Amino acid sequence: MQYLDEKLIEYGRSNMYPFHMPGHKRKQLVFPNPYAIDITEIDGFDYLSCADGILMEAQQRAARLYDSLHCHYLVNGSTCGILAAICAATKKRDTVLVARNCHKSVYHALELHELTAQYLYPCITKEGLQGQITAAQVKEALCDNPAIRAVIVTSPTYEGVISDIRGIAEAAHAFGIPLIVDEAHGAHLGFGAGFPENAVRLGADAVIMSLHKTLPSFTQTALLHINSERIANEKVSRYLEMFQTSSPSYLLMAGMDSCIRLLLKEQKKLFADYRAHLDCFYETVSGLKNLHVLAKEDFTEDEAFAWDDSKLVIFSGKSGRTGEELRKILRREYALEFELASGCYVLGMTSIMDAAEGFERLAEALFRMDAVLADEEPGRQPPMPVEFMQRTYQRQEKQLEIYEAISFAHTEVSFSEAVGRVSAAYLTLYPPGIPMLVPGERITERLLENIRECKGYGLPLRGLPDSSLERIKIVYF
């Protein structure tokens, strides 16, 4: 038997380099013994749900760092911020405009608030990634449907694709409605060093950031910025009291404050060093012949408004490997742990806490792999990137709203019985957490074939009811 604490200690002491979140990369900031400062809401330490003392000041520091009107500490991750922002910005049964590549927490908000969703679909880039949502798409949808009461997009995506947030905000505001941006993967944006601006400064009304994904902060820590009167801050606070724990961790909040103060004091040097590491890495790996590391030049203007190159997206290219095969080789032979594997690529996450040694180890590993993989027989040919992404996130016919589908009785059936029926469950590749199927959408034979394909590539499917991955939940009329 192995115990969690012992396994974590063992992993922390190992030579495994983390190209995954959290952004502190296992490096300790100036921080005391956690047991010595693990308290509850006692006199002198404020109350997160109605902060007016030390926690209020801490949140004001975060607002000052990002230039927002109000900033809320989130100790239940970005998820609770997304739920609170969407519920505060809408009324029950409202219609909202939603990017279909949003995280599953957005869909949970639609379900909870019984919202009607009109979807916007991002383009699929020639590299097989989900691209941007454009301001023109948003404007056209708002012109066609005056019932829409909020716009919800994700930027950057898991792989770093950034949409034109300023243009989207202007389109939404022209119709008098708010823009909510899931910027969970972009807490490091807006600090110069060649990175794009953050969504707060580009005019979004609510912006949710995960500090722990790309900055030195503990897992589960995030921020919710409210940046206009289009979303009432009082309503946000009320919903956060519902969605957050009533016993917030002072360890997590102290870690957030430590992270914010570090950025206020040392952001210029930290980000200059970070940029130097990234530029050196990209220049080094440009000489790969079989593997391919995604670069800004791989995107057209139609595919991405901008790109966050802190995300290391490494394609199998001519090597003929699946993403999962790449990840296993990098872990087993080079002690490099990656964030995720998809059909034909792996994704590594970096931060200001990454060392030059980590980038050098990765570059060396890639060149060694590049030299030998092309001559070896792959376990299974990877899918063609564009076709695989189009199959994985194909448009599904919506028969019911999510809240309607959830309200009906449901049953489990085999795949052979499911074609033409209406889904009663979410089906998600996690990570990245974007639903392939949501309750209320019709199940097609093509979708079921793609589920089997994802299973064959070893991708992490969530939402099927048993380990056979051959049954699915449907609405029972």
Side-chain angles (χ1 to χ4, degrees):
M1 180 182 293
Q2 191 166 25
Y3 299 103
L4 178 59
D5 57 343
E6 294 175 349
K7 188 168 185 177
L8 287 169
I9 292 169
E10 179 185 341
Y11 179 73
R13 290 173 177 170
S14 73
N15 189 40
M16 190 71 71
Y17 192 91
F19 280 108
H20 57 78
M21 63 180 82
H24 55 66
K25 299 304 181 89
R26 308 201 312 257
K27 293 180 180 177
Q28 183 173 349
L29 302 182
V30 178
F31 205 75
N33 169 13
Y35 286 98
I37 63 170
D38 187 19
I39 63 169
T40 188
E41 295 167 305
I42 57 177
D43 188 46
F45 290 92
D46 212 353
Y47 297 85
L48 183 59
S49 60
C50 54
D52 61 2
I54 194 168
L55 294 180
M56 179 186 71
E57 294 171 2
Q59 292 173 105
Q60 288 173 342
R61 272 192 292 276
R64 187 166 71 250
L65 177 66
Y66 287 100
D67 293 327
S68 58
L69 291 180
H70 308 281
C71 182
H72 299 268
Y73 268 17
L74 307 177
V75 293
N76 285 28
S78 283
T79 291
C80 71
I82 288 170
L83 296 174
I86 293 174
C87 289
T90 60
K91 297 177 181 177
K92 281 282 187 79
R93 304 292 176 92
D94 272 353
T95 298
V96 290
L97 187 62
V98 183
R100 188 57 177 82
N101 63 331
C102 281
H103 184 264
K104 64 178 184 176
S105 56
V106 170
Y107 298 89
H108 293 161
L110 303 182
E111 177 184 335
L112 286 169
H113 225 46
E114 299 183 358
L115 300 174
T116 295
Q118 179 173 331
Y119 293 124
L120 291 177
Y121 288 82
C123 67
I124 302 299
T125 75
K126 63 181 180 297
E127 300 291 340
L129 304 176
Q130 296 196 69
Q132 68 171 327
I133 296 293
T134 67
Q137 283 178 282
V138 172
K139 184 176 181 180
E140 181 181 6
L142 294 177
C143 287
D144 290 344
N145 190 346
I148 293 170
R149 292 293 174 262
V151 179
I152 307 161
V153 300
T154 296
S155 178
T157 65
Y158 219 132
E159 294 85 2
V161 174
I162 292 175
S163 296
D164 178 11
I165 296 303
R166 189 185 299 280
I168 293 172
E170 290 173 353
H173 296 164
F175 287 81
I177 62 175
L179 169 62
I180 300 169
V181 178
D182 175 359
E183 199 173 53
H185 283 271
H188 63 295
L189 300 181
F191 296 111
F195 290 109
E197 187 57 272
N198 66 57
V200 174
R201 298 193 186 110
L202 293 174
D205 301 278
V207 180
I208 302 93
M209 301 173 173
S210 286
L211 287 182
H212 73 93
K213 284 183 169 67
T214 59
L215 290 174
S217 191
F218 292 121
T219 298
Q220 206 171 306
T221 57
L223 302 173
L224 167 56
H225 300 280
I226 299 300
N227 207 36
S228 80
E229 299 303 321
R230 294 182 186 88
I231 302 177
N233 192 54
E234 288 184 3
K235 288 185 69 177
V236 171
S237 297
R238 179 161 59 86
Y239 278 109
L240 281 177
E241 193 167 2
M242 298 179 193
F243 295 130
Q244 294 224 82
T245 174
S246 59
S247 300
S249 167
Y250 277 82
L251 291 176
L252 297 184
M253 293 188 290
M256 295 166 75
D257 197 28
S258 179
C259 173
I260 296 300
R261 296 200 323 272
L262 176 69
L263 293 174
L264 285 169
K265 293 177 182 177
E266 301 181 35
Q267 63 178 266
K268 187 173 182 179
K269 181 182 186 308
L270 288 168
F271 277 88
D273 291 346
Y274 188 19
R275 172 48 55 193
H277 294 329
L278 285 169
D279 287 348
C280 181
F281 172 78
Y282 280 104
E283 182 178 359
T284 301
V285 299
S286 63
L288 292 169
K289 300 185 184 307
N290 297 298
L291 300 174
H292 174 64
V293 180
L294 189 69
K296 184 177 181 180
E297 295 73 30
D298 291 316
F299 295 99
T300 67
E301 290 183 0
D302 291 334
E303 292 173 343
F305 180 79
W307 181 58
D308 169 20
D309 65 354
S310 75
K311 311 298 191 297
L312 307 183
V313 185
I314 303 166
F315 287 91
S316 59
K318 298 176 184 177
S319 74
R321 296 306 189 278
T322 66
E324 185 59 26
E325 285 178 320
L326 290 185
R327 178 161 68 174
K328 288 179 178 178
I329 294 170
L330 286 162
R331 180 195 299 124
R332 181 181 64 245
E333 300 183 19
Y334 300 99
L336 300 171
E337 188 71 61
F338 272 68
E339 175 74 18
L340 74 82
S342 189
C344 56
Y345 67 88
V346 292
L347 169 66
M349 292 185 65
T350 66
S351 83
I352 55 175
M353 302 303 286
D354 276 293
E357 174 211 356
F359 290 104
E360 291 166 1
R361 280 179 57 182
L362 176 57
E364 182 180 356
L366 294 179
F367 274 101
R368 289 184 179 181
M369 292 168 63
D370 197 61
V372 300
L373 284 179
D375 298 326
E376 295 180 354
E377 188 68 25
R380 179 175 180 180
Q381 287 291 333
M384 294 299 292
V386 175
E387 289 83 351
F388 178 75
M389 185 61 72
Q390 288 172 338
R391 290 194 300 273
T392 304
Y393 294 107
Q394 60 192 263
R395 298 183 184 220
Q396 308 296 341
E397 180 186 354
K398 184 171 71 171
Q399 296 295 302
L400 299 168
E401 296 302 329
I402 296 173
Y403 71 90
E404 293 173 326
I406 293 296
S407 69
F408 282 103
H410 65 264
T411 187
E412 295 178 12
V413 298
S414 65
F415 278 8
S416 61
E417 301 173 278
V419 176
R421 307 297 293 270
V422 176
S423 174
Y426 298 92
L427 179 61
T428 307
L429 285 176
Y430 200 89
I434 302 167
M436 299 167 60
L437 181 72
V438 301
E441 292 181 338
R442 189 170 295 281
I443 299 165
T444 64
E445 181 62 45
R446 187 182 178 195
L447 171 72
L448 299 177
E449 290 173 1
N450 189 233
I451 293 171
R452 293 189 181 100
E453 183 180 25
C454 291
K455 177 184 175 182
Y457 289 123
L459 301 182
L461 282 163
R462 304 287 184 266
L464 296 176
D466 61 33
S467 59
S468 73
L469 303 184
E470 289 289 335
R471 296 181 66 79
I472 195 165
K473 292 181 180 180
I474 64 165
V475 173
Y476 185 72
F477 290 101

